[in-house]
Amino acid sequence: MLQDNASFTFLHRIEEVELNIEDGRWQSALALALTLPDICGGIAFPEIVKRYRDGRAVLDRNQRPTRDVGNQYIRWFDTYAAPFFKVSAQDISPYICGERCWQLRCEYLHQDKGFANTEDNTSIRFHLGVNCGTSVCQLDRIGSDNSLTDIRIDIEQFCRRMCQAARAYYEVEHTEKDFNLYNTPVLDFIKASQDEQSNATIAIMCSNSAYGNGLKLALQRLSKNILVFETPEAARKNLARKSICFGLLRKL
């Protein structure tokens, strides 16, 4: 994708995972692949939000329900990705479930554990590998009470299967769901500074109004018409009445 394109799309993210696989960039491939259910879970299950014990939704600082990212992630994986993670089509269950994939995602992206697997209180341990041949996963239970499970994952197979699951979900849902809200804007600032100011309308969607207005100031050289919205509903309502030459939407 050219750097001056409007944005990195959901499909671009899948393609970049696949390019990293071809180049043998296993860390980058795995990191990006593990974020795909984050996006898909938010699109598929927006009604899954954090709640207090009395059932009330937890609100963010803009008084909107807060995403329950973990449960969205797990639900999407178990609903849409699980069939792609069976070693054999005849298998009843996938070799990794949504809850375990969420655990892998959190440990790999955030905890920086290095998978030393030395913690005494760890009941599920991941072992990442490459060039594992036909064995994409192996479950070993250690101990007489089966209290310790080692999950061995081939990174290439895991990433390819996640890409297949995400692309299949996109092909079915992209006409009904708004994947554009998860695009990442990409601007060539040198090129933009050399171009004359455009008459096109640029729409910025950002839940933080101060941050959105900051983006508006940064982009004012590009266009005379820059609009800032805090919600998708406000953007749709306003933009429906305008003739848009170029739309730039970002969920932050």
Side-chain angles (χ1 to χ4, degrees):
M1 189 184 75
L2 297 177
Q3 288 297 311
D4 60 350
N5 275 11
S7 61
F8 291 140
T9 68
F10 178 72
L11 290 180
H12 288 141
R13 179 166 298 207
I14 297 175
E15 291 167 3
E16 191 142 331
V17 175
E18 294 167 336
L19 287 172
N20 280 316
I21 293 172
E22 297 303 322
D23 290 341
R25 301 180 187 275
W26 306 118
Q27 293 187 86
S28 299
L30 182 59
L32 277 179
L34 286 168
T35 67
L36 294 174
D38 275 300
I39 298 173
C40 294
I43 293 172
F45 302 107
E47 73 280 3
I48 298 180
V49 298
K50 292 182 179 179
R51 297 186 180 277
Y52 296 107
R53 291 184 178 181
D54 62 4
R56 292 181 299 115
V58 177
L59 303 181
D60 62 20
R61 59 185 176 184
N62 294 303
Q63 300 303 302
R64 288 193 293 271
T66 303
R67 281 184 60 185
D68 188 341
V69 178
N71 281 322
Q72 287 179 342
Y73 191 107
I74 292 168
R75 177 79 66 83
W76 181 84
F77 187 97
D78 288 338
T79 304
Y80 295 99
F84 294 87
F85 285 84
K86 294 181 178 180
V87 178
S88 170
Q90 289 73 40
D91 290 350
I92 298 176
S93 302
Y95 68 76
I96 184 171
C97 66
E99 186 174 357
R100 295 284 77 80
C101 191
W102 171 252
Q103 177 186 344
L104 173 63
R105 173 251 196 215
C106 293
E107 291 185 4
Y108 183 75
L109 296 181
H110 300 303
Q111 295 185 17
D112 195 26
K113 292 171 62 175
F115 295 90
N117 296 318
T118 56
E119 294 87 345
D120 294 334
N121 62 348
T122 301
S123 59
I124 303 291
R125 306 188 303 188
F126 293 103
H127 304 270
L128 304 177
V130 295
N131 302 318
C132 298
T134 58
S135 177
V136 295
C137 179
Q138 180 178 347
L139 299 179
D140 296 332
R141 286 183 170 80
I142 301 174
S144 58
D145 59 352
N146 290 335
S147 60
L148 185 61
T149 300
D150 288 291
I151 303 179
R152 298 191 172 111
I153 294 176
D154 181 291
I155 296 175
E156 178 179 357
Q157 286 293 328
F158 178 89
C159 292
R160 288 194 185 280
R161 289 164 185 255
M162 188 67 83
C163 287
Q164 291 169 2
R167 186 174 275 110
Y169 176 71
Y170 175 86
E171 290 300 326
V172 172
E173 298 290 344
H174 76 278
T175 58
E176 301 295 331
K177 308 288 187 180
D178 194 356
F179 283 80
N180 290 330
L181 294 177
Y182 291 82
N183 288 356
T184 302
V186 179
L187 298 175
D188 185 331
F189 288 98
I190 294 178
K191 181 178 183 299
S193 65
Q194 295 171 345
D195 292 341
E196 293 185 2
Q197 195 176 42
S198 171
N199 289 321
T201 296
I202 297 178
I204 300 171
M205 192 184 74
C206 180
S207 60
N208 186 317
S209 60
Y211 188 80
N213 287 322
L215 289 175
K216 179 178 180 179
L217 289 174
L219 298 174
Q220 62 185 357
R221 287 186 178 182
L222 301 181
S223 174
K224 303 174 183 177
N225 306 309
I226 301 177
L227 306 174
V228 179
F229 304 101
E230 293 188 13
T231 66
E233 294 75 18
R236 292 191 186 98
K237 182 178 179 180
N238 186 288
L239 297 178
R241 301 193 299 267
K242 295 181 179 293
S243 176
I244 303 300
C245 299
F246 172 73
L248 178 61
L249 295 177
R250 172 79 189 277
K251 185 173 183 179
L252 295 173

